[in-house]
Amino acid sequence: MAEALPSLLLVDDDATYRERLAKAIAARGFEVRTAEDAEAAVALADADSPEYAVLDLRMPGESGLDLLRRLMAIDPTTKVLMLTGYGSIATALEAVRLGAVNYLTKPADVDDILAAFSPERPVSETSPDLETPSLARVEWEHIQRVLQDCDGNLSEAARRLGMHRRSLQRKAARRRPSR
């Protein structure tokens, strides 16, 4: 009888990233199921609780933290990794407090993701970006988040941020500040 592969639930609203990551994880010996949002993920976990889960923090509807709570209620033995493009110490601590085994910021490759499930690697070793970010970086990430929420509409984002459209355009065009 063939040995069953470990199961992994991958939840990310970015379809291209989700499918590419799913293929790479499956190539490393996992049975991968994917979901684009919290509701689809809960339905999959209710049907067959995964051994591992990789959750995106920011998704339309429920956040990854909300989904983490729900998955832990279904099966507290599921090893959950939070993955986000908007890393912060506060969300990392909250994720770990809620039961995540680790927290990584995007971009993270498949080897980093799978290694993050190892109990020998605490959050501080796998996520160097969780150091206190500079004010420039926090501002840049906030601008990017608001732009994403506005579907790239600069005028709407400028209105929400209370700044002139041209100022926002200049700040948004800059490269992501390091630390």
Side-chain angles (χ1 to χ4, degrees), residues 29-120:
F30 286 82
E31 174 201 328
V32 181
R33 290 175 286 150
T34 64
E36 66 181 337
D37 59 24
E39 290 307 313
V42 169
L44 288 170
D46 275 336
D48 183 19
S49 179
E51 295 171 60
Y52 300 93
V54 177
L55 312 179
D56 187 15
L57 180 66
R58 289 183 46 89
M59 298 180 288
E62 287 186 54
S63 74
L65 292 174
D66 295 330
L67 176 56
L68 173 58
R69 285 182 188 95
R70 292 177 71 185
L71 290 178
M72 290 291 101
I74 292 168
D75 183 355
T77 66
T78 300
K79 293 180 177 130
V80 178
L81 171 69
M82 293 301 300
L83 188 62
T84 184
Y86 304 99
S88 74
I89 293 170
T91 55
L93 292 175
E94 180 68 6
V96 172
R97 187 185 67 77
L98 292 171
V101 297
N102 219 322
Y103 182 101
L104 289 177
T105 54
K106 291 178 184 174
D109 69 24
V110 68
D111 295 323
D112 289 337
I113 290 169
L114 295 178
F117 283 111
S118 172
E120 300 86 44

Side-chain angles (χ1 to χ4, degrees), residues 13 58 60 86 141-163 165 168 172:
D13 59 317
R58 289 183 46 89
Y86 304 99
E141 288 180 357
H142 182 64
I143 287 171
Q144 297 305 314
R145 187 174 309 131
V146 172
L147 277 168
Q148 182 181 11
D149 291 345
C150 296
D151 295 322
N153 184 327
L154 271 170
S155 297
E156 175 63 18
R159 187 188 63 72
R160 288 186 188 182
L161 290 167
M163 63 191 316
R165 183 183 181 286
L168 174 61

Side-chain angles (χ1 to χ4, degrees), residues 13-34:
D13 59 317
D14 181 337
T16 304
Y17 180 76
R18 182 179 65 240
E19 295 310 315
R20 284 185 178 175
L21 187 55
K23 285 179 184 176
I25 293 171
R28 284 166 175 78
F30 286 82
E31 174 201 328
V32 181
R33 290 175 286 150
T34 64

